[in-house]
Amino acid sequence: MATLVLDNGAYTAKIGYSQEKVSVIPNCQFRSKTSRLKTFTANQLDEIKDPSGLFYILPFQKGYLVNWDVQRKVWDHLFGKEMFKVEFADTSVVITEPYFNFTSIQESMNEILFEEYQFQSALRINAGSLSAHHYFHTKPSELCCLVVDSGFSFTHISPYCRSKKMKEGISSQLHVMDETHVINQVKEDVCYVSQQFYKDMEIAQMKGEENAVMRDYVLPDFSSIKKGFCKPREEMVYNGKYKTGEQILRLANERFVVPEILFQPSDIGIQEMGIPEAIVHSIQSLPEEMQPHLYQNIILTGGNTLFPGFRERLEAELRSLVPAHLPVSVLLPANPICYSWEGGKLLAHSPDYDEMVVTREDYEENGHCICEEKFDI
């Protein structure tokens, strides 16, 4: 019996069999602004000659799976002949979903997994729970950890104690992202988290070479330049135009202002806490004896945590907010995007796995209530 692990994120799907390696694939369809009739699914993006005008059609909105037509098409593609060639009757699936997912979405998920695809068994679980499983597996002596999962549409902060989710300490923040494919690439290539925001702001306003923040980003033209990139500093032209005729996007404070929203959402008028305050708020809502263990075991997952400077800034801000006698430790794993998927892979091989799943037989006999009983969402 094979087990397929699918961390179904709002931006990318992390997928692979528990015996194999993970693949990271766009969890969306793309439609081009020019030929609106043609739709590309997931990694078919690689076949497109000119992705400049592409826009995403995402199955997720505001962090929840709402567009089932798109999600089904992506899953059909992933499970089908071109990709994972799933033999549903002999396959168990581990699939992630957001915290406090709506009952209607949970029930649609059961129906699609058991009635349409007819998987032999399924486990629906939060990505944070898989990350916690991964962490406790690598550090068995630790009692608690706090998973900070900062991704495309949400940041979730979730405390775990002895691998049990502490629901009262979970908090979520929504990020409004609505970008084209190219702009997203720019963000991944040039953005960073500032350690001294106002100092960087001053530098970003300087002229010429004194402006150490400024970068020129060469936009792709999809004939000779397939993917955008940053001009090396020594090749930058500070005054006048480039002779090369490339399309240049000049970036200065944009490089650190975009990720700053994660730390200071009030700067753009969003009335909620930044990630450091939200962590403290979450930990303080839990019993006092747990708190030191949580501050010492903060684990970062999700794509936003890859912004250079993210971990350092978070640790520094927490240090200033947390009582001086409590040690603070923030860990960025080698691959934060696939950390929870790896946790799912470990779980699939654990002796408890068979107890956790719902089989198709169970579902056919008892319907949604057996899933509600077994899955802790």
Side-chain angles (χ1 to χ4, degrees):
M1 170 102 120
T3 303
L4 185 69
V5 181
L6 169 54
D7 179 8
N8 197 56
Y11 181 53
T12 56
K14 282 65 70 177
I15 183 170
Y17 287 107
S18 64
Q19 309 291 5
E20 294 169 14
K21 285 197 168 69
V22 64
S23 300
V24 181
I25 289 158
N27 190 8
C28 57
Q29 291 187 298
F30 298 91
R31 206 165 279 165
S32 115
K33 287 190 170 143
T34 46
S35 60
R36 286 185 173 251
L37 303 169
K38 185 92 175 96
T39 302
F40 302 89
T41 300
N43 61 341
Q44 290 174 340
L45 172 68
D46 305 337
E47 301 161 18
I48 302 167
K49 303 270 185 294
D50 174 6
S52 58
L54 285 181
F55 57 94
Y56 299 112
I57 313 163
L58 298 160
F60 280 75
Q61 274 173 7
K62 299 197 163 77
Y64 290 101
L65 209 177
V66 291
N67 192 337
W68 283 107
D69 291 344
V70 173
Q71 188 63 85
R72 258 200 206 84
K73 294 215 176 77
V74 174
W75 286 351
D76 285 348
H77 177 71
L78 294 179
F79 301 156
K81 290 185 194 58
E82 286 178 40
M83 300 281 303
F84 285 89
K85 306 177 182 59
V86 180
E87 301 282 348
F88 298 103
D90 294 319
T91 304
S92 179
V93 66
V94 178
I95 188 165
T96 62
E97 59 184 297
Y99 293 100
F100 312 122
N101 201 359
F102 300 108
T103 308
S104 59
I105 301 177
Q106 295 191 43
E107 292 183 354
S108 302
M109 185 101 90
N110 295 336
E111 286 161 17
I112 289 170
L113 296 177
F114 287 120
E115 295 173 29
E116 289 187 28
Y117 292 124
Q118 304 198 339
F119 276 100
Q120 201 280 326
S121 64
L123 167 61
R124 294 190 354 252
I125 190 167
N126 307 126
S129 302
L130 295 180
S131 294
H133 182 78
H134 189 169
Y135 189 71
F136 291 130
H137 181 88
T138 47
K139 297 200 169 184
S141 60
E142 293 300 343
L143 300 175
C144 305
C145 74
L146 185 90
V147 178
V148 179
D149 180 14
S150 188
F152 185 71
S153 51
F154 252 123
T155 294
H156 293 291
I157 292 164
S158 3
Y160 286 82
C161 188
R162 294 207 161 97
S163 72
K164 191 177 168 305
K165 173 167 64 181
M166 312 303 293
K167 285 192 172 169
E168 63 278 26
I170 295 175
S171 78
S172 301
Q173 289 146 305
L174 180 66
H175 314 307
V176 186
M177 304 288 183
D178 182 20
E179 286 142 5
T180 64
H181 182 64
V182 171
I183 292 299
N184 231 352
Q185 194 60 56
V186 176
K187 202 173 73 179
E188 286 175 20
D189 290 345
V190 302
C191 284
Y192 70 94
V193 174
S194 170
Q195 306 304 310
Q196 295 179 299
F197 186 76
Y198 294 105
K199 192 171 165 222
D200 279 359
M201 259 319 205
E202 280 174 23
I203 297 169
Q205 281 152 8
M206 290 176 171
K207 296 273 178 281
E209 288 186 48
E210 287 183 346
N211 186 338
V213 170
M214 188 163 67
R215 292 285 181 280
D216 281 347
Y217 191 83
V218 181
L219 291 164
D221 60 9
F222 303 108
S223 58
S224 58
I225 306 165
K226 288 276 182 268
K227 188 175 178 293
F229 62 93
C230 243
K231 275 258 185 232
R233 288 284 297 180
E234 61 276 13
E235 288 177 26
M236 278 175 64
V237 174
Y238 292 96
N239 303 308
K241 286 204 163 78
Y242 283 92
K243 306 272 188 288
T244 46
E246 297 152 331
Q247 253 194 306
I248 301 282
L249 192 59
R250 177 155 282 187
L251 300 157
N253 64 14
E254 298 83 356
R255 293 184 59 209
F256 56 88
V257 168
V258 173
E260 186 66 18
I261 296 162
L262 300 167
F263 290 85
Q264 297 284 351
S266 57
D267 284 359
I268 59 158
I270 297 174
Q271 294 314 308
E272 58 175 41
M273 291 180 278
I275 295 175
E277 288 90 352
I279 288 173
V280 172
H281 188 257
S282 162
I283 293 177
Q284 284 178 345
S285 70
L286 295 164
E288 211 166 301
E289 63 274 17
M290 274 184 204
Q291 294 181 14
H293 297 282
L294 289 162
Y295 283 124
Q296 276 186 56
N297 294 282
I298 297 169
I299 175 93
L300 302 181
T301 67
N304 289 337
T305 65
L306 287 170
F307 284 128
F310 185 99
R311 193 201 71 77
E312 293 77 358
R313 167 83 177 270
L314 182 57
E315 196 165 80
E317 289 211 9
L318 283 171
R319 190 56 286 165
S320 69
L321 293 168
V322 175
H325 66 283
L326 295 177
V328 170
S329 168
V330 180
L331 181 80
L332 178 65
N335 190 340
I337 290 178
C338 300
Y339 193 81
S340 58
W341 183 90
E342 296 288 349
K345 177 177 178 161
L346 289 166
L347 190 61
H349 294 287
S350 93
D352 306 332
Y353 180 72
D354 291 343
E355 292 299 301
M356 298 170 78
V357 300
V358 167
T359 64
R360 202 169 113 226
E361 214 174 298
D362 292 338
Y363 176 78
E364 281 167 359
E365 216 168 285
N366 306 292
H368 294 305
C369 60
I370 184 79
C371 298
E372 211 174 311
E373 225 169 87
K374 276 196 134 171
F375 302 148
D376 177 27
I377 294 306

